[in-house]
Amino acid sequence: MVMSRTVTELRAPKVEPRSVTVLGCTGSVGCNTIDMIERSPGAYRVEALTAHNNVNLLIEQAKRLKPRFVVSGNPDNYDTLKAGLAGTGIEIAAGRAAVIEAAQRPAEWVMASIVGAAGLEPTLAAVRRGALIGLANKETLVCAGSLMMKEVAKHKATMLPVDSEHSAIFQVFDFDRVEAIEKIILTASGGPFRTKTVEEMSAMTPAQAVAHPNWSMGAKISVDSASMMNKGLELIEAYHLFGLPEDQIEILVHPQSVIHSMVAYRDGSVLAQLGTPDMRTPIAFALGWPNRIEAPSARLDFAKVAQFTFEAPDPVRFPALRLARAALKAGGRAPTILNAANEIAVAAFLEGGIRFTDIAAVVEAVLESMPAGSLASIDDVLETDGEARIAAKSQVAARRKNSSH
């Protein structure tokens, strides 16, 4: 279950500011979270901010928000961070261990928006102190879903999904009567290559892949959207968040990105959450929970939208969906391998080293080369992640070599 505490158990309405930490504050979700915080002066007190390489933006954000603790995940940025925040009284640090420390600081609410498997350990650190967590890092549950959800229950943490699709499901999912649910339906925009042929996609550039038609996202997530791997990762995330079997999770392409996801019930009812494509809506839902707070998102104009269209995703043009379902069914290490190989392949594509269609090919080759096995601990997850990255880099190198001949 997503929640380990009920609304009434959590708290009565509070007058004092909610203490918050933003892990990954310079990314798309992090920046939108800070935008929401700054729109409500006095409502929030920032405990910690973390970023990796965008140290200049981190410094700007810290000067405005005045957190108690600021961290760059890259140790090379320490001197720049120290100079930029000199005289502010803000405690600073750098490196992987410092990011984990930031998550351990006593903030009531934590935005977990570090992209990729790098967000696993900090998110786990926040879970282990029973924090309220806005989860925007789907890879955390892809890599270590069963282990993570056991920790959520053990430490009575609360995990609030921030991905627009999972936030939508959360809002219309009857946790008290799960047996009444027939299926959940994750909607997908289809990305910028929705109507392209496989041959056309093979020639697509990184700039074309990150030009999402509806959403403003970081490069990695945008490429995942273009390949529909993001929907495969969301499938695995939904499996862990909502506890339904894989065959009760459907994926449906909805190009308008207005219906963010749906829950179908056994009586024939289908409940959907709708809104304009703006990440500040699901962020506001998580940031204010269990209350609802004001968000600046454009209001939905049904007359202007005029119509909604839907289509089934094409498994031939988007093999990532097949790979994700296979990894979820295989269980054990397979989802961790899937995620790690995808991260390496996407990075190689963004650097111009492989073709867009090579991304799924690299992932599939790595999945086939590594046994699924089992995961007994977070250390097993990290070890598997490292092995899969080495295997993926080997696959990328082979494709680079072949393309150069």
Side-chain angles (χ1 to χ4, degrees):
M1 181 180 287
V2 181
M3 297 181 291
S4 63
R5 293 177 287 175
T6 67
V7 173
T8 53
E9 287 174 329
L10 273 163
R11 66 193 66 79
K14 298 170 72 174
V15 176
E16 66 268 23
R18 169 170 273 183
S19 59
V20 302
T21 284
V22 184
L23 306 174
C25 63
T26 60
S28 175
V29 171
C31 286
N32 277 314
T33 302
I34 286 175
D35 176 60
M36 291 299 302
I37 290 170
E38 291 185 310
R39 287 174 182 273
S40 300
Y44 305 97
R45 177 187 62 76
V46 180
E47 177 67 29
L49 296 176
T50 81
H52 192 69
N53 277 328
N54 197 343
V55 67
N56 291 327
L57 179 55
L58 175 60
I59 290 168
E60 290 176 19
Q61 292 173 337
K63 286 181 176 178
R64 298 199 312 266
L65 294 170
K66 298 177 175 56
R68 296 180 178 180
F69 190 46
V70 174
V71 176
S72 170
N74 185 346
D76 294 341
N77 291 329
Y78 179 80
D79 289 341
T80 303
L81 190 62
K82 182 178 180 181
L85 294 178
T88 62
I90 296 171
E91 184 181 353
I92 66 166
R96 172 173 160 267
V99 176
I100 295 171
E101 181 187 345
Q104 294 170 330
R105 292 285 181 115
E108 176 194 7
W109 188 92
V110 177
M111 171 58 81
S113 57
I114 297 173
V115 176
L120 175 59
E121 290 180 289
T123 304
L124 181 59
V127 165
R128 284 177 169 166
R129 63 176 182 79
L132 237 175
I133 298 164
L135 185 70
N137 172 259
K138 63 176 68 70
E139 292 88 351
T140 291
L141 292 184
V142 172
C143 292
S146 297
L147 295 171
M148 185 65 72
M149 296 312 291
K150 286 179 183 176
E151 293 290 318
V152 168
K154 177 180 178 181
H155 297 282
K156 297 184 178 180
T158 302
M159 193 165 278
L160 303 168
V162 174
D163 274 345
S164 61
E165 297 82 1
H166 302 87
S167 176
I169 293 167
F170 185 94
Q171 294 180 56
V172 294
F173 192 97
D174 191 340
F175 287 96
D176 294 326
R177 286 173 287 275
V178 175
E179 71 282 355
I181 295 171
E182 189 171 87
K183 63 181 177 180
I184 57 179
I185 304 165
L186 294 169
T187 58
S189 68
F193 303 156
R194 181 175 63 87
T195 60
K196 301 292 184 184
T197 65
V198 173
E199 292 74 19
E200 288 171 331
M201 284 193 283
S202 180
M204 292 293 106
T205 66
Q208 290 170 311
V210 301
H212 196 282
N214 299 333
W215 295 93
S216 175
M217 304 179 291
K220 193 269 181 183
I221 299 173
S222 296
V223 173
D224 282 347
S225 178
S227 71
M228 290 196 73
M229 179 60 85
N230 73 320
K231 216 50 53 177
L233 300 178
E234 288 170 10
L235 165 80
I236 299 171
E237 181 183 7
Y239 169 83
H240 292 293
L241 284 173
F242 302 108
L244 294 183
E246 174 268 334
D247 62 2
Q248 285 180 250
I249 306 173
E250 182 181 330
I251 294 172
L252 187 65
V253 176
H254 168 51
Q256 291 81 20
S257 296
V258 170
I259 297 176
H260 297 306
S261 277
M262 297 171 272
V263 177
Y265 287 84
R266 296 194 182 281
D267 62 4
S269 301
V270 180
L271 303 187
Q273 186 268 345
L274 289 72
T276 54
D278 187 329
M279 279 304 298
R280 291 174 296 184
T281 298
I283 289 169
F285 179 80
L287 185 60
W289 194 85
N291 303 310
R292 287 193 182 259
I293 62 175
E294 185 76 17
S297 314
R299 282 2 188 199
L300 190 58
D301 184 336
F302 284 96
K304 187 175 180 180
V305 175
Q307 63 178 352
F308 297 147
T309 59
F310 306 93
E311 60 192 62
D314 185 338
V316 175
R317 290 186 298 121
F318 298 104
L321 293 175
R322 169 179 56 82
L323 297 176
R325 282 198 183 272
L328 178 55
K329 289 178 181 178
R333 304 197 316 160
T336 310
I337 295 167
L338 171 92
N339 181 72
N342 180 65
E343 286 191 24
I344 294 299
V346 168
F349 167 68
L350 288 169
E351 293 166 1
I354 61 174
R355 298 173 300 173
F356 178 77
T357 48
D358 285 334
I359 296 173
V362 166
V363 174
E364 185 161 23
V366 175
L367 281 167
E368 290 175 349
S369 70
M370 295 181 64
S374 60
L375 298 171
S377 67
I378 295 299
D379 286 341
D380 288 347
V381 174
L382 298 175
E383 182 179 349
T384 299
D385 178 83
E387 291 175 7
R389 287 172 190 275
I390 292 171
K393 288 176 181 177
S394 178
Q395 289 290 333
V396 166
R399 279 166 172 74
R400 280 177 171 158
K401 183 177 180 180
N402 291 336
S403 66
S404 65
H405 290 159

